[in-house]
Structures are given as structure tokens and as C-alpha cells.
Amino acid sequence: MSANATASSPSTVLGRQLGDELRRLREAAALTTAQAAEALDCTKGKISRIENGRVTVRLPDLTAMLLAYGATNTELRDRLSLLARKANRRRRQGWWNQYGPVLADTYRDYIALETMAGTIRTFQAQLVPGLLQTPEYIRAVTVASHQWQTADEIEQFVQVRLARQERLVSDSPLQLWAVLSEAVLLQQVGGPKVMSAQLNQLLIASEQPNVTVQILPFSRGAHASMFGPYVVLGFPEEAALDVVLADNPTGSMWLEREAEVGRYQELFDAARTSALSPVESRMVIRRRAKEHRA
């Protein structure tokens, strides 16, 4: 995932839940987004952003929306108010906010979603996934990007990526499934010594019960995922929809529409089906690690 992605920010899970409920209430009241906007004296765009979970919902706005939609049930109003407060607090209080300008807004949003995700499925064409990178590998990638100018900024970014990895060993560990092009094993990031250590770390991680690593070898030929890396984030909340972050030549983009997300779910299923099994993949990783040491 590009750390300086420029696409619009994703919604948080709590924000999306709140937005979904507000959309259902608006539709139950037989109001269009234009009519809702008129009742709140705002734009249709604001209503859409609220319903998509992309903006903070201030309590006065929430109260006005519930009034316009005829939602008078006290229990419902209290529950949605609590949900709005929790969503707003989650946006402000993440550990990543202490790193200031080192992190682009979209990367902050990605980390926020990653902390709430239950599963991550990813295809990577050139790089080891950030959650599995060694400090030396992270440092080499960061230096090569030319996005940070000072040694302190680089080290802060390294620490951010290492902090993200805590999700894999937490009390409720993230389930990570990564399909990697064989090119990931060959790219000389940081030189042979760094790559050998990185591939050995990849082997260790792949043996954890919550981590699956598969290698998609060159011999499989052309495949649909070869056009760019992507991450599919899944969430434990009931009825929560998956979110996709896909890289392309102009940056990264967030996808939340069901049809678009479904397409990437199909891409990943095809990639993992074509890839070597986890056991075969570990054999290939081990062999490539030895080659880097030679």
C-alpha cells in the first residue's frame, strides 16, 4: 500500500454502521437525499458522505436528521448518539496520530481500518506486505521511496510499521492471508543480507496459525492480479462490508461498492487457487533465502 496515497479517505467501520442506519431511516421516511439535505439546510453531498461514513457526524446534525426522519424512539436516538460519539472518538484517538506529518492522511485512515479489521487478504507484486517486513527491509523501502527527508522521519515511519505488526500477535490477532508474486522473493531490497533475513522472517511468520503465505510462481504465466497490488479488509461486525485498497499507476483508491469489492474478492480467490500451497511456498521461500546468502 502506498504510504502517500492520494485517494479519498475511507469510512471507519463505526461510521459506516451509523451511516447505514441513517440511510435506512431516511428511506423509511420516503425522503430522497435532496429532500433530506433541504430539511437540514445542507448539500446532498454532505448527506451522502454521512451515509457512506466518510465524515464525522456532529451530534446537532444527528439530532436534526433523526427529527427530519421522524425517528422519535428514545432508545434508538440514544443508541445512535452513542455510536456517533464512539466513531468520532475512534477517529481522533488512534496511536498513529502521534506521528504527525510523517503519515499522509490516507495512510492514517488505512491504519485506522486495519486496527478494526478481523481479516486481511492481500496480493503483492513487488514487496513483502508491511505487516511481515523486518525493520531493515522497512528502512530500505522507506529510503528508496524518497518521501521522507530526514533520518528522524524515516525512523518514525519504521516505528509506525512495526507498531502495525502488533495486530498479528494481539489477544485477538488479525487473520492475514498473503499471496505474493515470485518477484517479491527476488527483488533485492536492501541487498542480499537484508533480503535473506527478510525471507527467513517470512518463513517464521508463515508458520503462525493466523498467517497464510502463498507464492504465485512465474511459471503460472499471466494472471488477473498481475496488474497491481491490493488489500481486502474484512471486519468482524455483523453486516459490515469489506473494503478494498487497490494501487494503480496514479496512486491508490478505496473501493467500497459491493460489486467492486466482489471483483477483488474474485481476483484474490483466483490468485490463491493458482498459487503454490502454503507448504510448497515455504519450500520456495527457504530456497530463495539461501540464494540471497550465497
Side-chain angles (χ1 to χ4, degrees):
M1 195 215 65
S2 173
N4 66 336
T6 57
S8 58
S9 299
S11 57
T12 66
V13 173
L14 296 176
R16 289 165 68 197
Q17 289 181 322
L18 177 60
D20 285 343
E21 295 220 35
L22 290 172
R23 181 186 296 107
R24 285 194 290 269
L25 289 172
R26 175 179 60 77
E27 291 173 347
L31 293 176
T32 65
T33 53
Q35 290 170 327
E38 183 177 357
L40 271 70
D41 193 25
C42 67
T43 65
K44 289 193 300 181
K46 180 175 180 178
I47 298 296
S48 295
R49 289 192 294 274
I50 287 175
E51 292 184 350
N52 289 327
R54 293 186 178 274
V55 296
T56 298
V57 183
R58 298 185 306 116
L59 292 181
D61 286 338
L62 177 62
T63 299
M65 294 177 83
L66 294 175
L67 180 62
Y69 302 161
T72 58
N73 182 280
T74 301
E75 183 178 343
L76 171 65
R77 295 167 70 96
D78 290 346
R79 182 171 62 82
L80 294 186
S81 295
L82 177 61
L83 186 58
R85 284 193 289 269
K86 288 173 64 178
N88 297 344
R89 186 163 58 248
R90 181 69 67 90
R91 291 178 189 269
R92 295 192 304 268
Q93 294 181 349
W95 59 262
W96 50 90
N97 287 318
Q98 66 184 290
Y99 289 93
V102 173
L103 304 181
D105 288 343
T106 304
Y107 192 40
R108 292 171 187 270
D109 290 327
Y110 177 83
I111 297 173
L113 282 183
E114 188 178 76
T115 63
M116 293 182 279
T119 63
I120 285 183
R121 290 164 287 171
T122 182
F123 172 80
Q124 294 294 324
Q126 291 289 333
L127 295 173
V128 172
L131 290 170
L132 302 177
Q133 293 176 359
T134 65
E136 293 77 14
Y137 188 98
I138 299 169
R139 193 170 290 109
V141 171
T142 306
V143 170
S145 72
H146 297 295
Q147 294 173 23
W148 294 271
Q149 303 302 315
T150 69
D152 182 62
E153 290 174 339
I154 291 170
E155 289 307 309
Q156 285 190 59
F157 188 81
V158 171
Q159 293 307 312
V160 168
R161 187 149 290 182
L162 293 176
R164 285 174 51 204
Q165 296 177 5
E166 293 297 318
R167 277 301 324 275
L168 294 176
V169 294
S170 65
D171 292 337
S172 180
L174 182 69
Q175 301 293 316
L176 173 64
W177 193 333
V179 177
L180 313 181
S181 166
E182 189 174 359
V184 173
L185 310 183
L186 300 175
Q187 190 76 33
Q188 286 278 359
V189 176
K193 184 177 180 180
V194 170
M195 279 304 301
S196 179
Q198 173 62 77
L199 296 188
N200 284 324
Q201 173 59 30
L202 194 59
L203 278 173
I204 294 171
S206 70
E207 294 172 350
Q208 301 306 308
N210 59 311
V211 177
T212 300
V213 176
Q214 291 181 263
I215 303 302
L216 187 53
F218 294 137
S219 60
R220 294 292 195 262
H223 56 90
S225 289
M226 65 190 297
F227 299 101
Y230 53 86
V231 181
V232 183
L233 298 101
F235 305 94
E237 287 81 4
E238 185 177 354
L241 300 176
D242 288 356
V243 178
V244 171
L245 182 65
D247 286 351
N248 59 55
T250 60
S252 300
M253 59 182 176
W254 288 101
L255 303 171
E256 295 184 87
R257 294 178 181 174
E258 188 172 353
E260 294 173 326
V261 172
R263 172 57 179 158
Y264 277 91
Q265 291 169 333
E266 292 172 357
L267 285 177
F268 184 81
D269 285 342
R272 68 178 179 81
T273 300
S274 298
L276 299 174
S277 72
V279 173
E280 293 171 320
S281 296
R282 280 194 285 271
M283 293 173 60
V284 172
I285 296 170
R286 189 174 292 110
R287 183 175 73 250
R288 293 301 188 188
K290 290 180 180 179
E291 291 173 357
H292 285 295
R293 286 200 300 269

